[in-house]
C-alpha cells in the first residue's frame, strides 16, 4: 500500500512524539540517579591548596550570600581572589567588605584592564588566573551558592584523567513570575539534558563553577584557546579534551538564587546561551526542540489519526504527562514550584521556542547589560592584558 503525503506526515509526527516522550522519561530518571552515579566516580582523596577565583561585575540577587558561602568551606588551604574591571563599582566595594570580614582567609582583590577577548568574563578572569598562587583553580560565578563541604566534594572529581570539573546549576528562590519562568527553564529541559549527559559520563563547559589545574589550562592553549568566543566555558571543555583529558560534571549541583527577575532580561539571557550553543554546538542546537514540550504538543495533535484520538485530546494528554513528570521530578529534587506552576510551564514553553527561533537570526547577545556580537573578532593582542593588585 502506498502512503500519501498526509499519512507520511502523521507517521513522522507520531515517531517524533514517541522520541520526545522517551527522551523525557529517560532524562527524568537520569536526573534522579545522576548524583549517585557520578559520586561513584569521585575517587580523589588528597586536598591540595586551591585558589578560589571570584569574578564580579554586578550586585545581583543573593550576591552577598553567594560570596560568603566560599568562606564557609571547611578546606585545609585555600586563597580567595576577586576580580573586576572597575575597582570602584558596587560589586567591587561589596567584595572588599566580604574579604574584610574574613581576615583568616588569604584574599586579594585584582582590577583587570584586559581587553583582548570576545567575552568580558574572560577579560576579567585574566588577572586572577595569572596571579593565583596555586595550580588548582576553582572559579565560581557571583550568583551561585556553595553548600558547606562543596569544595571538598567537587575536588574529589578532579582525578588524573580529568581536566575540567563543572557543576549543573539549579534555580532557587524565584520571587516573581519572570523568575519562576527562568527557574522552570533551568530546572526543566536545561537541567534534564545536563543530568542525562552527566549520568553517562559526558561533560560540557558550564561556567557557574569550573575546577581545573592551571598547568592543564596552559598546556591546552591558555587564554588563546578561550578568547575567541563568548562561550568560554564550552571552549575550555573542548581545549582540555584536545590534550586527552575529560570534562565532567560533579555529583553535586550548584544553587543559583534568582530573587526577582525582569522578563526582558530572562529572554536575553536565554537568547545569549542559545546563540552560543548555535555557534559552538550546531548539531545539538538543531535538535533542541525535541527536549521542549511545545513541539511535542504539536506533534501529538498532528499524529492524532495514528494515535487513535482527537487532536486536542492527544495534545492535552501529552501536556498533562509532561507537566506531571516534571512536577514529580521537582518534588524529588526539592526544587520549588509555585501555585501557578501549570501557567508557568506553558509560558516557559512559549519563551523557549521563541528564543530558539530567534537564535537562528541573530548573533547579537547581551552579557551583564552590554550588547556583544557573538561572532566579533578578537579586539587586541593577547600580550596587552594587565592587572592591578589590591591588598
Amino acid at each position: 500500500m502506498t502512503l500519501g503525503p498526509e499519512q507520511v506526515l502523521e507517521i513522522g509526527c507520531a515517531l517524533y512524539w514517541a522520541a520526545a516522550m522517551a527522551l523525557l522519561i529517560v532524562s527524568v530518571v537520569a536526573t534522579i540517579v545522576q548524583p549517585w552515579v557520578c559520586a561513584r566516580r569521585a575517587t580523589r582523596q588528597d586536598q591540595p591548596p586551591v585558589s578560589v577565583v571570584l569574578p564580579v561585575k554586578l550586585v545581583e540577587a543573593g550576591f552577598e550570600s553567594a560570596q560568603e558561602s566560599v568562606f564557609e568551606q571547611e578546606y585545609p588551604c585555600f586563597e580567595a581572589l576577586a576580580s573586576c574591571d572597575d575597582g570602584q563599582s558596587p560589586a567591587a566595594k561589596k567584595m572588599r567588605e566580604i574579604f574584610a570580614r574574613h581576615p583568616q582567609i588569604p584574599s586579594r582583590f585584582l582590577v583587570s584592564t584586559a581587553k583582548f577577548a570576545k567575552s568580558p568574563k574572560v577579560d576579567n578572569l585574566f588577572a586572577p588566573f595569572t596571579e593565583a598562587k596555586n595550580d588548582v583553580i576553582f572559579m565560581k560565578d557571583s550568583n551561585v551558592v556553595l553548600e558547606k563541604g562543596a569544595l571538598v566534594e567537587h575536588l574529589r572529581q578532579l582525578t588524573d584523567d580529568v581536566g575540567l570539573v563543572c557543576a549543573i546549576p539549579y534555580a532557587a528562590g524565584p520571587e516573581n513570575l519572570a523568575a519562576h519562568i527562568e527557574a522552570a527553564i533551568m530546572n526543566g529541559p536545561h537541567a534534564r539534558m545536563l543530568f542525562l549527559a552527566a549520568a553517562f559520563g559526558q561533560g560540557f563547559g558550564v561556567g557557574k563553577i569550573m575546577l581545573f589545574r592551571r598547568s592543564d589550562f596552559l598546556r591546552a592553549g591558555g587564554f588563546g584557546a578561550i578568547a575567541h568566543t563568548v562561550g568560554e566555558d564550552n571552549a575550555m571543555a573542548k581545549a582540555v579534551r584536545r590534550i586527552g583529558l575529560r570534562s565532567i560534571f560533579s555529583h553535586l549541583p550548584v544553587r543559583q538564587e534568582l530573587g526577582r527577575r525582569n522578563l526582558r532580561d530572562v529572554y536575553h539571557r536565554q537568547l545569549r546561551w542559545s546563540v552560543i550553543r548555535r555557534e559552538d554546538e550546531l548539531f545539538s542546537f538543531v535538535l533542541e526542540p525535541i527536549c521542549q514540550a511545545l513541539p511535542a504538543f504539536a506533534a501529538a495533535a498532528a499524529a492524532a489519526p495514528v494515535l487513535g484520538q482527537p487532536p486536542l485530546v492527544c495534545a492535552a494528554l501529552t501536556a498533562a504527562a509532561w507537566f506531571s513528570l516534571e512536577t514529580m521530578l521537582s518534588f524529588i529534587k526539592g526544587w520549588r514550584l509555585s501555585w501557578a506552576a501549570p501557567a508557568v510551564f506553558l509560558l516557559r514553553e512559549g519563551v523557549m521556542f521563541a528564543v530558539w527561533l530567534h537564535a537562528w537570526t541573530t548573533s547579537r547577545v547581551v552579557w551583564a547589560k552590554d550588547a556583544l556580537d557573538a561572532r566579533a573578532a578578537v579586539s587586541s593582542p593577547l600580550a596587552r592584558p594587565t592587572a592591578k593588585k589590591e591588598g
Side-chain angles (χ1 to χ4, degrees), residues 104 180 185 189 214 256 261 292 301 323 346 362 368 385 389:
Q104 77 282 8
H180 276 287
I185 294 172
R214 181 169 52 189
Q256 181 174 343
R261 296 295 208 197
Q292 301 175 14
F323 177 72
L346 294 176
T362 185
K389 305 176 190 180

Side-chain angles (χ1 to χ4, degrees), residues 86-376:
D86 179 2
Q88 299 305 313
S89 69
K93 293 176 181 178
K94 181 63 69 175
M95 202 66 242
R96 291 192 193 93
E97 293 174 7
I98 294 171
F99 279 174
R101 290 200 291 267
H102 301 278
Q104 77 282 8
I105 303 296
S107 59
R108 287 176 286 160
F109 191 91
L110 305 173
V111 179
S112 178
T113 60
K115 297 293 180 186
F116 66 93
K118 281 187 184 181
S119 169
K121 183 177 178 180
V122 173
D123 287 336
N124 198 5
L125 290 173
F126 181 85
F129 280 14
T130 303
E131 298 291 333
K133 291 181 179 178
N134 304 308
D135 188 44
V136 177
I137 293 179
F138 181 89
M139 193 286 302
K140 185 192 80 68
D141 274 358
S142 61
N143 58 4
V144 294
V145 179
L146 297 181
E147 305 296 340
K148 288 186 178 180
L151 186 53
V152 170
E153 290 300 310
H154 291 311
L155 195 76
R156 290 175 55 208
Q157 296 281 355
L158 191 64
T159 53
D160 291 343
D161 63 334
V162 171
L164 177 65
V165 179
C166 296
I168 299 170
Y170 70 94
E175 295 180 1
N176 63 352
L177 178 60
H180 276 287
I181 292 173
E182 186 157 40
I185 294 172
M186 291 179 61
N187 297 346
H190 286 187
R192 286 190 290 103
M193 292 303 103
L194 293 177
F195 278 111
L196 178 60
F200 285 96
Q202 301 300 308
F204 307 98
V206 176
K208 291 302 176 183
I209 71 160
M210 294 195 297
L211 173 64
F212 59 95
R213 303 173 193 87
R214 181 169 52 189
S215 53
D216 291 335
F217 173 61
L218 295 175
R219 190 158 57 94
F223 283 95
I226 64 174
H228 64 284
T229 176
V230 179
E232 73 288 333
D233 44 10
N234 199 40
M236 189 164 177
K238 290 180 178 180
V240 299
R241 284 198 293 267
R242 286 195 293 269
I243 61 170
L245 298 175
R246 294 190 299 135
S247 175
I248 65 170
F249 285 116
S250 175
H251 56 293
L252 287 185
V254 62
R255 186 171 91 245
Q256 181 174 343
E257 294 288 340
L258 297 190
R260 299 185 66 82
R261 296 295 208 197
N262 177 282
L263 187 57
R264 180 182 177 87
D265 291 342
V266 170
Y267 183 89
H268 281 290
R269 187 158 39 249
Q270 298 302 321
L271 180 62
R272 180 178 82 244
W273 293 337
S274 195
V275 169
I276 290 170
R277 291 193 297 271
R278 187 204 70 199
E279 289 288 309
D280 292 349
E281 303 287 348
L282 181 60
F283 180 73
S284 62
F285 171 78
V286 170
L287 296 179
E288 278 184 16
I290 201 169
C291 309
Q292 301 175 14
L294 193 60
F297 301 165
V306 177
L307 300 174
Q309 296 291 334
L312 187 58
V313 170
C314 288
L317 288 175
T318 299
W322 201 294
F323 177 72
S324 297
L325 281 169
E326 286 204 351
T327 300
M328 177 196 72
L329 179 61
S330 293
F331 279 117
I332 291 172
K333 301 293 287 187
W335 297 336
R336 177 182 169 186
L337 291 173
S338 77
W339 60 268
V344 170
F345 171 69
L346 294 176
L347 289 170
R348 176 198 79 182
E349 290 303 315
V351 169
M352 288 187 66
F353 195 66
V355 163
W356 183 77
L357 292 175
H358 191 178
W360 282 104
T361 67
T362 185
S363 291
R364 298 293 293 175
V365 300
V366 177
W367 188 89
K369 310 298 184 183
D370 297 324
L372 306 170
D373 188 336
R375 294 178 299 186

